[in-house]
Every structure is written in C-alpha cells, then in structure tokens.
Amino acid sequence: MAEYASPNVWKYFAQLVGVPAFPVSTNSCLDATVAEGAHPVVVFSPGLTGTFTDYTFLMEDLASRGYITVAVDHTYEATAVEFSDGRFVRSVVGSHLGGEVPRDRKTLSFAVEVRLKDLRFVIDQLARLNVRRDTPFSGRLDLSKIAVAGHSLGGLTALLTSQSDPHIKGAILIDPVLPDLLPGATDKPVLLMTADRQQWAANECGLWMNLHGSRLAVSLQGSEHVALSDWIWLTKDAVRTGPMGPEKTMSAMRDYVAAFLDTNLRGIGTSPLVNGPSPNYPDARVTGRDQTLCENP
C-alpha cells in the first residue's frame, strides 16, 4: 500500500504560515507495489480546511495492515491542493494553520454539501480504477468492503455518506462535529472516537441511541481535538494528549480503529479492545454496543 505527499506541499504550507517546514519523516513511498489480492478500502475526509496529509500517522498504519486508504483533499476548502500539473489551489475559507476560519452554519452546511459530492465522486472513481487494466489497483479494491472515516467536520461527512450510500459498510467518526438535528437511525457499524469527554453532549447521546448496529465509543481522556490528527507528532509538546502521552495515544487510535475495521469490515473475531478497559490504554474510556453512553439521554 502507498501514500505520498509531494515535498512541494510541505514547502507551500511553510510559506503560507511563515514558519520553517516541519521535519517530517514518514514510512510512505511513491508507486509502491500493491499487495496481491483484493483489499478493503477506507475513504477518509479531514477536518475543515484540512488536507489529506494531516492524518498520515493513521493512514500509514491502516495501509500496513492491508487496507487501501484513500484520503481526500476537498479542493477550494482544503488549505492547499496540488494538482497533477504542479498547480496549487488555495482555500477560499482560510486555513487551520493560521488565521480565522468561518464556522457559521451557512459555511459549514455548504462545505458538507460539497464534501458529500466529493466522496461520491471518489468512490465512483475507485470503481473505475478497479476495472481498468492500466493501473496498479486493477482488481485490488474489494468494493464490497468500504468504510468511510473522518475527523471533525470530516466525521460528520463520514456519517452522512455512510447513511446515504448503500455501498458503505461502516463509519469511523473521529471527534466529529455534529448538528443538533441528527440524521435518522442506522444499522451500519459506527465507531465514535473522541477527545476528552467528561460528559457526552446531547447530540452525541442522540447519535448513540440512533446506532442500532455494531457500535463502539472510545474517549481518549485528557486529549484535545487536534491531538487526533498529525499535530500529535508534528508538535508533540504543544497539544494535550493526557497521561498516556503522544506515542501511546497514537498507538491507541491506531489499534482501536483497526480493531473496529477488522471486526466489521473483514469479519475477523472481536478484539478484546472493544470489550472494555485495556491495560495497554488505561486512559481510553470504552463504551460497547450493549452499554449506555449517557445516564440521562
């Protein structure tokens, strides 16, 4: 499996915010050979103005476990997008790397509407790639096993996509932005992974009650919202990750996401991680399918 970001992207980001480029070292490579067989697919939507490079620590891990990961840049909203001819397109709504980003209802609603079309387009393109004989992905995508995932506004995008597209088998919502008026109930598997939750919000409680299939909630106690992205290792000492620290928190995210996907996408036996507290991750508060998320829903 492979993930790749042009060095020009990192240089562009550095120029955009007026800081030196991040000292990034990843395990990704360009034009890596795709392993034999058909592989389950995870399509990922980032946070508002985020880019596909902002979740490398998670995408690389899933790829190493045999998933084909497809992280999406939402052009004109993402901080910067590089086209195949080398052109850059900047965000029209600002950047999470600095400055103000509008978060009014109109802007967010329009962003979600565009994101849903983006993901629909990407999933259609994956189907075309899978049958073309001139691509390394020919016959390598198991399109009967697609999950959508996302962080922040991407979490809401993932939820709505999973409910509107019959091809999607499950969703992973990473500290999602949720409206007060939620979509209807679903039988599809959903993982709700959040930063520090001392008390669940009313819309999160409502979401939990609407999940009638396999469901799992994991709160990484002591962590903050941006710690569930690459900021956790790009700026290790600048974001809160709770008592577990950056490395353990990253490991927890990777393992809980993989355990959920292995069970609900691949049909592998249930991992002990989803059954309750783990001695490996003492600051991960786990709520299983048959448990109540909120005392007073």
Side-chain angles (χ1 to χ4, degrees), residues 164-208:
S164 64
D165 190 332
H167 300 99
I168 304 302
K169 302 305 180 185
I172 298 169
L173 321 180
I174 301 176
D175 218 29
V177 171
L178 295 175
D180 292 332
L181 183 61
L182 291 162
T186 179
D187 291 326
K188 293 183 179 180
V190 173
L191 167 61
L192 176 61
M193 173 166 280
T194 67
D196 190 26
R197 287 295 187 277
Q198 300 302 317
Q199 182 174 350
W200 295 92
N203 53 7
E204 293 170 331
C205 298
L207 170 65
W208 187 254

